[in-house]
Amino acid sequence: MKLLLLLTAFLYSSEAALHRFARSHDKALARRQSAETEDYKPHYFQQKIDHHPTSPRYAPHTEDTFQQRYYFDASFYKPGGPVFLYIGGETAGPNRFANLQTGIIRLLMESAGGLGVILENRYYGHSYPFPNSTTDNLRFLTTEQTIADNAYFAQHAKFSGVGGKTSISAPHSPWILYGGSLAGAETAFSLHEYGGDGGILWAGIAASGTTKALLEYPQWYAPIQKYGPQDCVASITAIVDNIDQVFDSGDADMINKMKSVFGMESLSDGDFAQAIAWPIGGPFIYLANTWQELNWDPLSGSNDFWLFCTNVTNLDAPESITSVDYELSSVTNGEPWTNLGNYANYIKKYLIPAACPDIAVNSTACANTQDADYWADTSNSGDRSYLYTTCTEYGVYQVAPKHGPSLIANPLQVSYTQQWCDWAFAPGQYNAISSTPNLWRTNKYGGYNVSQKRLAHIDGDQDVWLDVCYHSNLAPLRYSTSLQEETDHPQLLISGGGHHWDSNALGSVKNITLEPQFIQNVHLWEIRTVERWMREWHASH
């Protein structure tokens, strides 16, 4: 769940002139996809723009449709098998191909004789209802319209050459949804509204489903603080505390001097705080891989966070770098800001040049977010669609905590993110956004406790989004008391797991034994869960 990710990685050696770039997540994923199969053929479904013609929220209503793109894989399909609907989420459909080729949907298709389908979310990829994304045109981008898409598609989609004379549409065939992150929440909400006995959708797996909407979400940084290398965490925490002291002082000269250490004296306070947080995870916009991009699968994850910490804690940095630790020591009674030089050097020498090549480090061109005209561009884009959803229904603004240790500086508060919403979505003739997101529109489905028969929740205990998921530390303790309860309401927390780590696999059921043991058992649990669901289906139909 984030707006922008330019995937880069850095490692600083003891010789200041030497550094190398680690493999890019996108490039590795592309290699994996091309190694498995050719791209799937796109298909298009005539989807309703408005599933709620009596709701004043969507006035003026329309009976028009739009072309919603989808893909399918029938390689393992056997008559009577389930349809696995992968919810596309906040990206274009082709970016999900690996889930059919090598990931969790591939495992489930193979083990259950199922059909795999990727459905692109409305307002992403090639599935836009309108030629542009004005505030008025975005009024149909809501959770309730999106989950209605899933149910309507399941009832009416056609798959050439699959099923013969037997209808595989829902509810005549068992449709099992899968989604991760925002798509995981949409999976849970779809089952909540359209699942259960007698419902349209038979079952679903919500992986790291972000089902709870909050305005402020400082908890994003808690797993990093708890599980990250503690010398790195301690260094960043102490430096950020000192940075906040400088901001609190109101001393304009000292604030400018502090920014200049990082080569960012031209930036606003908020943009400065955002930019130096990129390796950790700045609010909404990241220009580097973070803790969220760690993964057990070497072809899908990134080591950028570990490399960042290696830089920050480098014990062999030359004096030209370590001397920077004293440049702001007047603020701390002559005490150095330990590892400030390493931190600033990483930002100036590696992160900014890689993220924004050919742009001067101290230019606003790379890290400036204060251009209202940029945000107001109404061109269709996934970034704009995701921002709209964030600003209207989900929130979860990453902010510095009000109290206690922090990895990001205090200027990063609700107002910093909200300004982008206000610039991006000027009031239209029929639609206007609120001053802050209407969280109840998401939480009405149950929040931490969203439930439905045959809805599975699976999360990772080291996921930065955990505290808006089913297994949140803010939710009740989760455990199953009987096999029947586990069949009806399956749930699993992956010890040591990150953001929907179950999504990745090694290509086939036979390769499960090659996975790390804790991932092996996650995938076997999912296969068993689906098998119990299918036995229940056959017993009742």
Side-chain angles (χ1 to χ4, degrees):
M1 292 181 66
K2 61 185 146 192
L3 177 65
L4 179 63
L5 180 60
L6 302 180
L7 298 168
T8 53
F10 317 93
L11 178 62
Y12 173 77
S13 75
S14 58
E15 297 181 21
L18 297 179
H19 68 279
R20 66 179 175 84
F21 289 86
R23 172 197 43 75
S24 158
H25 170 279
D26 275 354
K27 292 178 181 177
L29 194 58
R31 286 202 300 270
R32 164 168 281 190
Q33 290 174 351
S34 62
E36 293 297 328
T37 67
E38 295 181 358
D39 289 350
Y40 296 106
K41 177 183 177 181
H43 300 269
Y44 292 89
F45 175 76
Q46 290 300 318
Q47 183 63 267
K48 292 182 178 182
I49 293 176
D50 186 3
H51 296 278
H52 300 277
T54 62
S55 171
R57 183 182 187 189
Y58 303 106
H61 295 280
T62 178
E63 295 182 356
D64 290 346
T65 62
F66 70 98
Q67 288 194 319
Q68 189 169 24
R69 188 168 59 168
Y70 68 100
Y71 304 84
F72 69 90
D73 186 335
S75 302
F76 300 97
Y77 181 72
K78 297 178 181 178
V83 179
F84 293 105
L85 179 61
Y86 188 97
I87 306 303
E90 65 273 33
T91 190
N95 292 334
R96 303 303 195 188
F97 284 173
N99 288 280
L100 267 64
Q101 295 167 342
T102 63
I104 182 60
I105 303 300
R106 161 65 188 256
L107 298 185
L108 296 178
M109 286 192 300
E110 185 180 353
S111 61
L115 174 71
V117 183
I118 297 171
L119 180 63
E120 193 168 67
N121 273 36
R122 57 171 56 205
Y123 292 86
Y124 289 94
H126 289 181
S127 299
Y128 286 91
F130 302 102
N132 55 44
S133 292
T134 63
T135 305
D136 279 342
N137 287 344
L138 285 166
R139 72 186 186 278
F140 297 102
L141 176 55
T142 65
T143 298
E144 63 185 6
Q145 295 281 8
T146 298
I147 64 176
D149 285 348
N150 300 334
Y152 189 77
F153 177 83
Q155 291 174 295
H156 300 283
K158 305 296 183 183
F159 304 97
S160 177
V162 179
K165 296 182 180 179
T166 302
S167 172
I168 62 170
S169 61
H172 308 292
S173 289
W175 280 62
I176 300 175
L177 275 58
Y178 179 95
S181 195
L182 175 62
E186 292 170 350
T187 294
F189 301 155
S190 296
L191 264 292
H192 181 274
E193 291 293 292
Y194 302 103
D197 292 337
I200 297 169
L201 306 172
W202 182 244
I205 300 174
S208 298
T210 52
T211 58
K212 179 67 174 179
L214 300 169
L215 180 59
E216 298 182 347
Y217 190 54
Q219 294 91 341
W220 197 94
Y221 302 93
I224 307 172
Q225 292 173 311
K226 184 175 183 179
Y227 299 108
Q230 289 302 295
D231 53 348
C232 177
V233 170
S235 296
I236 299 302
T237 300
I239 291 169
V240 165
D241 185 60
N242 291 338
I243 287 172
D244 285 339
Q245 286 187 49
V246 175
F247 279 130
D248 290 344
S249 74
D251 185 333
D253 291 338
M254 183 57 71
I255 291 172
N256 191 62
K257 182 179 180 180
M258 176 179 69
K259 292 177 182 178
S260 70
V261 169
F262 290 85
M264 296 180 175
E265 58 270 30
S266 60
L267 296 180
S268 68
D269 293 353
D271 283 350
F272 166 75
Q274 162 86 300
I276 66 170
W278 280 337
I280 302 158
F284 212 68
I285 302 172
Y286 316 164
L287 292 188
N289 286 303
T290 68
W291 184 271
Q292 180 176 329
E293 283 69 52
L294 299 176
N295 201 288
W296 67 270
D297 179 3
L299 285 183
S300 296
S302 166
N303 290 325
D304 284 19
F305 179 83
W306 306 129
L307 301 176
F308 164 67
C309 277
T310 298
N311 279 263
V312 169
T313 59
N314 180 22
L315 295 173
D316 298 315
E319 185 179 358
S320 60
I321 292 176
T322 59
S323 62
V324 175
D325 295 359
Y326 289 88
E327 288 195 13
L328 303 171
S329 61
S330 61
V331 176
T332 49
N333 298 318
E335 293 297 318
W337 295 24
T338 304
N339 286 326
L340 174 64
N342 283 333
Y343 188 8
N345 187 66
Y346 181 85
I347 296 292
K348 290 191 296 184
K349 297 295 179 64
Y350 307 126
L351 190 148
I352 297 296
C356 302
D358 304 320
I359 295 177
V361 173
N362 64 353
S363 168
T364 61
C366 182
N368 173 42
T369 74
Q370 305 301 297
D371 182 353
D373 290 338
Y374 165 82
W375 295 100
D377 182 356
T378 60
S379 301
N380 287 337
S381 74
D383 289 349
R384 183 169 176 81
S385 298
Y386 183 65
L387 179 64
Y388 182 80
T389 297
T390 299
C391 298
T392 56
E393 295 189 346
Y394 270 90
V396 290
Y397 295 171
Q398 291 161 247
V399 299
K402 296 294 190 295
H403 308 285
S406 177
L407 295 174
I408 62 173
N410 274 336
L412 299 179
Q413 298 296 334
V414 166
S415 59
Y416 179 71
T417 302
Q418 187 62 44
Q419 65 183 341
W420 304 332
C421 301
D422 298 337
W423 290 333
F425 308 112
Q429 184 178 358
Y430 309 113
N431 184 33
I433 68 169
S434 301
S435 58
T436 57
N438 291 311
L439 306 178
W440 66 270
R441 294 195 181 279
T442 297
N443 292 330
K444 69 180 182 179
Y445 298 105
Y448 292 128
N449 297 314
V450 59
S451 180
Q452 180 56 272
K453 191 174 183 181
R454 294 179 297 273
L455 169 60
H457 291 278
I458 181 168
D459 300 314
D461 69 354
Q462 295 186 21
D463 181 8
V464 292
W465 297 106
L466 177 64
D467 280 334
V468 287
C469 297
Y470 181 78
H471 289 91
S472 169
N473 296 293
L474 307 176
L477 179 65
R478 310 300 189 182
Y479 57 90
S480 301
T481 59
S482 70
L483 183 56
Q484 187 60 54
E485 180 185 356
E486 171 62 14
T487 300
D488 291 344
H489 304 286
Q491 55 86 22
L492 183 66
L493 181 63
I494 307 174
S495 178
H499 200 47
H500 55 84
W501 272 18
D502 65 307
S503 294
N504 297 94
L506 297 183
S508 69
V509 170
K510 68 180 180 181
N511 290 340
I512 287 179
T513 57
L514 303 177
E515 298 171 351
Q517 187 177 45
F518 73 120
I519 296 296
Q520 287 185 44
N521 285 284
V522 167
H523 287 152
L524 291 172
W525 174 82
E526 289 176 301
I527 289 170
R528 291 195 305 271
T529 297
V530 168
E531 174 62 21
R532 287 197 294 270
W533 288 340
M534 288 305 300
R535 291 187 182 189
E536 185 177 353
W537 168 269
H538 290 303
S540 60
H541 289 75

